[in-house]
Every structure is written in C-alpha cells, then in structure tokens.
Amino acid sequence: MDILETDAYDRRKRRNMSCALLVSLLPFFASTALYFYLWTPDSPASITSAGVKSAPILLLAAAVLSWNGGQSVLGVVGGLFFSAVGDCCLIWPEHFLHGMGAFAVAHLLYAVTFLTARYATYSSSSWNRFLYVILLIVGGGFYTYLYPFLQKAPDSEILTPAVGIYVFLITLMGILAIRTRNTATLLGSLFFMVSDMSLALQLFKVVAPMKHGNLIVMVTYYLAQLLIAVGDVKATENKDAFAKWKTT
C-alpha cells in the first residue's frame, strides 16, 4: 500500500469514525431536546426533574466510556458523572453547596485528564502564555466583582471561600485546556466558564432575573460538556494516529 492509498484509507477511517461518534451521541441530543421541551421557569423540584436534567450528561458519559474504555473513568467520564450529581443537587436550592462541590470535583478531573499522555503536549508559546494570563485575569476579576454580593448571602462565611476555590478550579481547567490545543476541549472549557458566570450573576442577584436566563445557562452548559466529551474522544484518536505514524 503506497502513501496515497494509506492517506485515503486514513481519511475514510476518520470519516467513518466521525459518523459512528455522531450516532453514539444521538441519545444525548434526544435527551437534551427532551429537557428543553419539558422545562418551564416554574418547574417544581422533584426526582423527575433531576433525572431529566442529568440524563443528557449521563448519556454523554456512557458514549465516552464506549469509545475510550475504563481509562476515562478517572477522567472525562468521571467528570461527567460528578457533573450529573451536581445537576441533581442544584435542582434543590438548599443543596447548592453540594452541587458546587460535585462540579468542583468534575473540573479537577477534567484538569488532570488534560495533563495525561492521551492529550498531545506542546511547548508553551508566547500566545499560550498570553491566553493563560487572560483567563487568570477573567477568573480573578470575576470573583472580585462577585465578592460583595457573596458577602450579602445568608451563609457567606462558607459560600465566599467555597466560590473562590470553585473559580480557581474552573480557571485552572480552562488553562490546561488551552495547553492541549484541542479545539473542542478549549471551546468546551470556555463555554463552561460562560455558563457558570451566567448562573452566578443571576443566582447571587448581581443582575436582575433574565427572561431567558436558564436557557442561556443550560445551552452553554450542555454545549460545553458535549465539546469536552468529543475532545476527549478525538484526543485518543489523534494520539493513536500519531503513534501509528511513528511506527511506519
């Protein structure tokens, strides 16, 4: 098999994999559509609403697990599982801190995953370092802006440092996503930050309740998780392809 035939074969293989990946994600898309169809602003907190909200993330975890196997349990699959736990907790306002803790674990698992050998590593460029600084400024600036509103919360003595730790972890996750230079992974981390910032601004009464506030939060959230999951699958594919190229 010559070089041109090998290249054509690899293109067909990538195309077939993309189609198979899309098929495996259909349950996620269907459950996401069901969530937006059933959700209303005055939906009561219940086991059913928690299940409908977390189902897309659990189905996404199952899809990643089917592609990457057990190696992803302590990585993106684990992060998705803890995200689903966080989704359930946030259904009940009194469990907000528990939900934030679950999402903090998810961000930590994502961050550790982005450091593994499955993601290609690159030497840090000046452009990367510039983006690191931008994210640090955004994360630190957002927490500073949020701080006075956290102080007004009834449980501010716990909430204020907890939110600070959470902001640090999601910012760290975003920085390590930049390091991977995986487009889907990077965009997923940025959409996650946008989703959480939108939620925090509304939850801590920084802005007046928005008509489509929940829609903004959940669209960016589901999109973030989808991109991180796809990025993880693609990272494994690209690593395998690179290893194959080195042995030829």
Side-chain angles (χ1 to χ4, degrees), residues 53 86 89-101 103 142 145-146 148-155 159-160 162-163 166 194-210 213-214 217:
K53 184 181 181 183
C89 290
L90 294 185
I91 290 291
W92 292 273
E94 62 270 23
H95 293 302
F96 173 77
L97 282 173
H98 300 90
M100 187 170 63
F103 277 112
F142 183 76
Y145 179 68
L146 207 60
F149 298 92
L150 294 173
Q151 290 292 293
K152 298 176 184 178
D155 49 354
L159 193 61
T160 302
V163 171
Y166 183 86
V194 170
S195 177
D196 280 357
M197 287 179 177
S198 300
L199 176 62
L201 290 174
Q202 298 174 70
L203 186 65
F204 300 121
K205 298 178 173 58
V206 180
V207 298
M210 295 183 288
N214 185 74
V217 171

Side-chain angles (χ1 to χ4, degrees), residues 131-242:
L131 291 177
Y132 297 160
V133 172
I134 292 297
L135 272 191
L136 285 172
I137 292 173
V138 170
F142 183 76
Y143 179 71
T144 301
Y145 179 68
L146 207 60
Y147 185 84
F149 298 92
L150 294 173
Q151 290 292 293
K152 298 176 184 178
D155 49 354
S156 62
E157 66 282 353
I158 298 176
L159 193 61
T160 302
V163 171
I165 295 171
Y166 183 86
V167 170
F168 170 76
L169 287 175
I170 194 171
T171 303
L172 176 64
M173 187 265 290
I175 288 173
L176 294 178
I178 294 172
R179 178 180 175 274
T180 68
R181 296 192 187 179
N182 182 316
T183 302
T185 301
L186 173 56
L187 290 176
S189 68
L190 294 179
F191 274 116
F192 217 134
M193 294 182 74
V194 170
S195 177
D196 280 357
M197 287 179 177
S198 300
L199 176 62
L201 290 174
Q202 298 174 70
L203 186 65
F204 300 121
K205 298 178 173 58
V206 180
V207 298
M210 295 183 288
K211 182 179 180 181
H212 301 294
N214 185 74
L215 184 64
I216 295 171
V217 171
M218 295 308 296
V219 167
T220 51
Y221 168 67
Y222 284 138
L223 181 57
Q225 298 281 33
L226 172 63
L227 289 169
I228 289 173
V230 170
D232 194 54
V233 173
K234 292 292 185 180
T236 301
E237 174 194 7
N238 293 339
K239 199 70 176 180
D240 291 344
F242 180 67

Side-chain angles (χ1 to χ4, degrees), residues 50-111:
V52 172
K53 184 181 181 183
S54 61
I57 304 303
L58 292 174
L59 290 170
L60 200 55
V64 176
L65 186 63
S66 69
W67 280 94
N68 292 348
Q71 64 180 351
S72 58
V73 170
L74 294 178
V76 167
V77 169
L80 289 168
F81 173 78
F82 275 99
S83 295
V85 173
D87 286 331
C88 292
C89 290
L90 294 185
I91 290 291
W92 292 273
E94 62 270 23
H95 293 302
F96 173 77
L97 282 173
H98 300 90
M100 187 170 63
F103 277 112
V105 174
H107 294 317
L108 185 59
L109 287 172
Y110 289 156

